[in-house]
Amino acid sequence: MEGPDGSGKTTQIEMLKTYLESKGYDIVITREPGGTVISEAIRAIILNKEYQEMSHMTELLLYASARAQLVNQVIKPALAEGKAVICDRFVESSAVYQGIGRGLGVSTVYEVNNYALGDVKPKLTIFMDLDADEGIRRKENQTELDRMEMEDLSFHKRVVEGYRQLAQLYPDRIFPVDATLPIEKIHSIIVEEVEKRFFS
Ligand code: TYD
């Protein structure tokens, strides 16, 4: 599940989990960066707003390191046990935040992340499509902003445009959903797509 900050990913993940459980699946949910003790420690470094001097390449490699640990410690074992895994952010976050937002280039991001992912590839990426200013507005009540959230509106606009470009480039694996729709409507659109891809 991908999308800008404030796009409602977490709510939709919980609803999708309930739906997939009703179909008999064991579900594992992960969030990035994080999801293992080591990945959470890396997350604390990445998002620490004291570290304003962090280079873009360091940031990319730290996200990839956190992901490598998550893939090996959590995702691979879960898949091997026949479970379904829903990730709150995955490699496409790096593609847009580091590749496009930071300007490192999408191909560099995929190259680095190939080491982190190995043969683990998402079967479907759902992109919660929301304008950057609306995402920021939804987070307005949050008092403490992390290092990424402190970036200016133009950065967050590049991120959203990046997601939209990737969704256009790779319609087979990235499915965009209008995140301004009512929560139940978004859920039913997602379920319809999941049914189409996995159960028909
Ligand atoms: P988080 O608080 O988990 O954000 P959200 O609740 O919106 O998912 O913080 C993760 C932040 O890290 C978020 O701003 C997006 C950013 N990020 C990247 O820049 N690259 C990445 O590869 C990942 C996974 C996240």
Side-chain angles (χ1 to χ4, degrees), residues 4-6 9 31-33 43 47 59 63 67 88-90 93-94 97-98 139 146 148-149:
D5 302 86
K9 297 185 295 295
R31 73 148 186 183
E32 279 209 36
R43 174 190 175 91
L47 298 181
E59 184 180 287
Y63 277 113
R67 185 165 299 130
D88 189 340
R89 298 191 178 281
F90 202 58
S93 280
S94 286
Y97 282 81
Q98 281 66 55
K139 288 221 156 183
D146 64 40
M148 301 302 289
E149 286 164 343

Short mmCIF file of all heavy atoms in Angstrom, two decimals, residues 4-6 9 31-33 43 47 59 63 67 88-90 93-94 97-98 139 146 148-149, ligand 1:
data_model
loop_
_atom_site.label_atom_id
_atom_site.label_comp_id
_atom_site.label_asym_id
_atom_site.label_seq_id
_atom_site.Cartn_x
_atom_site.Cartn_y
_atom_site.Cartn_z
N PRO A 4 1.04 9.22 -0.49
CA PRO A 4 1.68 10.26 0.32
C PRO A 4 1.22 10.19 1.77
O PRO A 4 0.23 9.52 2.09
CB PRO A 4 1.19 11.55 -0.35
CG PRO A 4 -0.08 11.19 -1.01
CD PRO A 4 0.07 9.76 -1.44
N ASP A 5 1.94 10.90 2.63
CA ASP A 5 1.55 10.99 4.03
C ASP A 5 0.11 11.52 4.11
O ASP A 5 -0.25 12.44 3.39
CB ASP A 5 2.48 11.98 4.77
CG ASP A 5 3.94 11.56 4.67
OD1 ASP A 5 4.58 11.93 3.66
OD2 ASP A 5 4.41 10.86 5.55
N GLY A 6 -0.70 10.90 4.96
CA GLY A 6 -2.07 11.39 5.16
C GLY A 6 -3.08 10.85 4.15
O GLY A 6 -4.22 11.30 4.11
N LYS A 9 -3.62 5.16 4.06
CA LYS A 9 -3.12 3.79 3.80
C LYS A 9 -3.45 2.84 4.95
O LYS A 9 -3.90 1.72 4.72
CB LYS A 9 -1.59 3.80 3.63
CG LYS A 9 -1.10 4.61 2.45
CD LYS A 9 0.40 4.48 2.28
CE LYS A 9 1.22 5.07 3.40
NZ LYS A 9 1.11 6.53 3.57
N ARG A 31 5.15 -2.37 8.30
CA ARG A 31 5.21 -0.94 7.98
C ARG A 31 6.67 -0.58 7.76
O ARG A 31 7.58 -1.16 8.36
CB ARG A 31 4.61 -0.09 9.09
CG ARG A 31 5.48 -0.01 10.33
CD ARG A 31 5.32 1.31 11.02
NE ARG A 31 6.27 1.42 12.14
CZ ARG A 31 6.32 2.44 12.96
NH1 ARG A 31 5.49 3.44 12.80
NH2 ARG A 31 7.20 2.49 13.94
N GLU A 32 6.86 0.39 6.88
CA GLU A 32 8.24 0.81 6.57
C GLU A 32 8.41 2.31 6.76
O GLU A 32 7.48 3.06 6.46
CB GLU A 32 8.55 0.49 5.11
CG GLU A 32 8.92 -0.95 4.89
CD GLU A 32 9.85 -1.06 3.69
OE1 GLU A 32 10.69 -0.15 3.49
OE2 GLU A 32 9.75 -2.04 2.97
N PRO A 33 9.58 2.76 7.15
CA PRO A 33 10.68 1.91 7.61
C PRO A 33 10.37 1.38 9.01
O PRO A 33 9.85 2.12 9.83
CB PRO A 33 11.87 2.87 7.64
CG PRO A 33 11.26 4.23 7.84
CD PRO A 33 9.93 4.19 7.17
N ARG A 43 14.94 3.24 11.40
CA ARG A 43 13.89 4.25 11.25
C ARG A 43 14.15 5.47 12.14
O ARG A 43 13.99 6.61 11.72
CB ARG A 43 12.53 3.63 11.61
CG ARG A 43 11.37 4.62 11.61
CD ARG A 43 10.10 3.99 12.21
NE ARG A 43 9.04 4.97 12.31
CZ ARG A 43 8.14 5.20 11.36
NH1 ARG A 43 8.15 4.49 10.26
NH2 ARG A 43 7.22 6.11 11.50
N LEU A 47 14.39 9.20 10.47
CA LEU A 47 13.35 10.23 10.66
C LEU A 47 13.71 11.28 11.70
O LEU A 47 12.98 12.25 11.89
CB LEU A 47 12.02 9.56 11.02
CG LEU A 47 11.44 8.63 9.93
CD1 LEU A 47 10.11 8.03 10.39
CD2 LEU A 47 11.25 9.34 8.59
N GLU A 59 20.36 8.43 2.96
CA GLU A 59 18.93 8.19 3.21
C GLU A 59 18.43 6.99 2.39
O GLU A 59 17.78 6.08 2.93
CB GLU A 59 18.17 9.47 2.83
CG GLU A 59 16.68 9.43 3.12
CD GLU A 59 16.03 10.75 2.71
OE1 GLU A 59 16.22 11.77 3.40
OE2 GLU A 59 15.30 10.75 1.68
N TYR A 63 17.05 3.42 4.06
CA TYR A 63 15.73 2.83 3.77
C TYR A 63 15.90 1.42 3.22
O TYR A 63 15.15 0.50 3.59
CB TYR A 63 14.93 3.69 2.78
CG TYR A 63 14.20 4.86 3.40
CD1 TYR A 63 14.55 6.17 3.12
CD2 TYR A 63 13.11 4.64 4.26
CE1 TYR A 63 13.86 7.24 3.68
CE2 TYR A 63 12.43 5.71 4.82
CZ TYR A 63 12.80 7.01 4.52
OH TYR A 63 12.12 8.07 5.09
N ARG A 67 14.74 -2.17 4.86
CA ARG A 67 13.90 -3.07 4.02
C ARG A 67 14.54 -4.45 3.91
O ARG A 67 13.84 -5.46 3.98
CB ARG A 67 13.75 -2.41 2.64
CG ARG A 67 12.82 -3.16 1.69
CD ARG A 67 12.45 -2.27 0.51
NE ARG A 67 11.76 -1.07 0.96
CZ ARG A 67 12.08 0.18 0.60
NH1 ARG A 67 13.06 0.41 -0.25
NH2 ARG A 67 11.40 1.19 1.08
N ASP A 88 2.73 -1.67 4.47
CA ASP A 88 2.45 -0.23 4.54
C ASP A 88 3.73 0.46 4.08
O ASP A 88 4.65 0.62 4.87
CB ASP A 88 2.12 0.12 6.00
CG ASP A 88 1.58 1.53 6.16
OD1 ASP A 88 1.82 2.36 5.26
OD2 ASP A 88 0.95 1.79 7.20
N ARG A 89 3.79 0.76 2.81
CA ARG A 89 4.97 1.26 2.09
C ARG A 89 5.95 0.12 1.79
O ARG A 89 6.14 -0.79 2.58
CB ARG A 89 5.73 2.35 2.85
CG ARG A 89 4.92 3.61 3.11
CD ARG A 89 5.84 4.72 3.62
NE ARG A 89 5.10 5.96 3.83
CZ ARG A 89 4.76 6.79 2.85
NH1 ARG A 89 5.07 6.53 1.61
NH2 ARG A 89 4.10 7.90 3.11
N PHE A 90 6.57 0.23 0.60
CA PHE A 90 7.62 -0.71 0.22
C PHE A 90 8.52 0.00 -0.78
O PHE A 90 8.69 1.22 -0.71
CB PHE A 90 6.97 -2.00 -0.35
CG PHE A 90 7.85 -3.23 -0.30
CD1 PHE A 90 8.37 -3.69 0.90
CD2 PHE A 90 8.17 -3.93 -1.46
CE1 PHE A 90 9.18 -4.82 0.95
CE2 PHE A 90 8.98 -5.06 -1.42
CZ PHE A 90 9.48 -5.50 -0.22
N SER A 93 7.94 3.51 -2.37
CA SER A 93 8.17 4.72 -1.56
C SER A 93 9.57 5.25 -1.82
O SER A 93 9.77 6.46 -1.98
CB SER A 93 8.02 4.42 -0.06
OG SER A 93 6.67 4.39 0.31
N SER A 94 10.55 4.36 -1.87
CA SER A 94 11.92 4.81 -2.17
C SER A 94 12.00 5.36 -3.59
O SER A 94 12.69 6.36 -3.84
CB SER A 94 12.91 3.66 -2.01
OG SER A 94 13.14 3.36 -0.66
N TYR A 97 10.10 8.94 -3.16
CA TYR A 97 10.68 9.90 -2.20
C TYR A 97 12.16 10.14 -2.49
O TYR A 97 12.61 11.28 -2.52
CB TYR A 97 10.49 9.42 -0.75
CG TYR A 97 9.09 9.63 -0.21
CD1 TYR A 97 8.07 8.73 -0.51
CD2 TYR A 97 8.78 10.71 0.61
CE1 TYR A 97 6.78 8.91 -0.01
CE2 TYR A 97 7.49 10.89 1.11
CZ TYR A 97 6.51 9.98 0.80
OH TYR A 97 5.24 10.17 1.29
N GLN A 98 12.93 9.05 -2.68
CA GLN A 98 14.37 9.23 -2.90
C GLN A 98 14.66 9.43 -4.40
O GLN A 98 15.46 10.27 -4.78
CB GLN A 98 15.16 8.03 -2.35
CG GLN A 98 15.35 8.05 -0.83
CD GLN A 98 14.06 7.91 -0.05
OE1 GLN A 98 13.31 6.95 -0.26
NE2 GLN A 98 13.77 8.87 0.82
N LYS A 139 -2.79 16.12 8.04
CA LYS A 139 -1.85 15.87 9.13
C LYS A 139 -1.62 17.10 10.00
O LYS A 139 -0.76 17.10 10.88
CB LYS A 139 -0.50 15.38 8.56
CG LYS A 139 -0.56 13.96 8.01
CD LYS A 139 0.69 13.20 8.38
CE LYS A 139 0.43 11.70 8.39
NZ LYS A 139 1.59 10.94 8.80
N ASP A 146 8.17 14.59 11.57
CA ASP A 146 9.49 13.95 11.45
C ASP A 146 10.29 14.60 10.33
O ASP A 146 9.81 15.54 9.66
CB ASP A 146 9.36 12.42 11.29
CG ASP A 146 8.64 12.03 10.00
OD1 ASP A 146 8.89 12.67 8.96
OD2 ASP A 146 7.85 11.07 10.04
N MET A 148 11.11 13.74 7.32
CA MET A 148 10.53 13.74 5.98
C MET A 148 9.32 14.69 5.91
O MET A 148 9.15 15.42 4.94
CB MET A 148 10.09 12.33 5.57
CG MET A 148 11.19 11.29 5.57
SD MET A 148 12.58 11.70 4.49
CE MET A 148 11.86 11.49 2.88
N GLU A 149 8.50 14.64 6.97
CA GLU A 149 7.29 15.49 6.96
C GLU A 149 7.64 16.97 7.00
O GLU A 149 6.83 17.82 6.60
CB GLU A 149 6.40 15.13 8.15
CG GLU A 149 5.68 13.80 7.96
CD GLU A 149 5.11 13.23 9.26
OE1 GLU A 149 5.52 13.67 10.35
OE2 GLU A 149 4.26 12.33 9.17
P1 TYD B 1 5.73 7.26 8.48
O1 TYD B 1 5.50 8.00 9.74
O2 TYD B 1 5.70 5.78 8.54
O3 TYD B 1 4.78 7.84 7.37
P2 TYD B 1 3.36 7.37 6.91
O4 TYD B 1 2.56 7.20 8.17
O5 TYD B 1 2.88 8.47 6.03
O6 TYD B 1 3.59 6.08 6.16
O7 TYD B 1 7.13 7.75 7.93
C1 TYD B 1 7.70 7.26 6.84
C2 TYD B 1 8.26 8.41 6.05
O8 TYD B 1 9.37 7.93 5.30
C3 TYD B 1 7.27 8.97 5.07
O9 TYD B 1 7.38 10.38 5.03
C4 TYD B 1 7.73 8.41 3.74
C5 TYD B 1 9.19 8.20 3.93
N1 TYD B 1 9.78 7.07 3.17
C6 TYD B 1 10.75 7.34 2.21
O10 TYD B 1 11.11 8.50 1.98
N2 TYD B 1 11.32 6.29 1.54
C7 TYD B 1 10.98 4.99 1.78
O11 TYD B 1 11.53 4.05 1.16
C8 TYD B 1 9.97 4.72 2.78
C9 TYD B 1 9.56 3.32 3.09
C10 TYD B 1 9.40 5.82 3.44
#
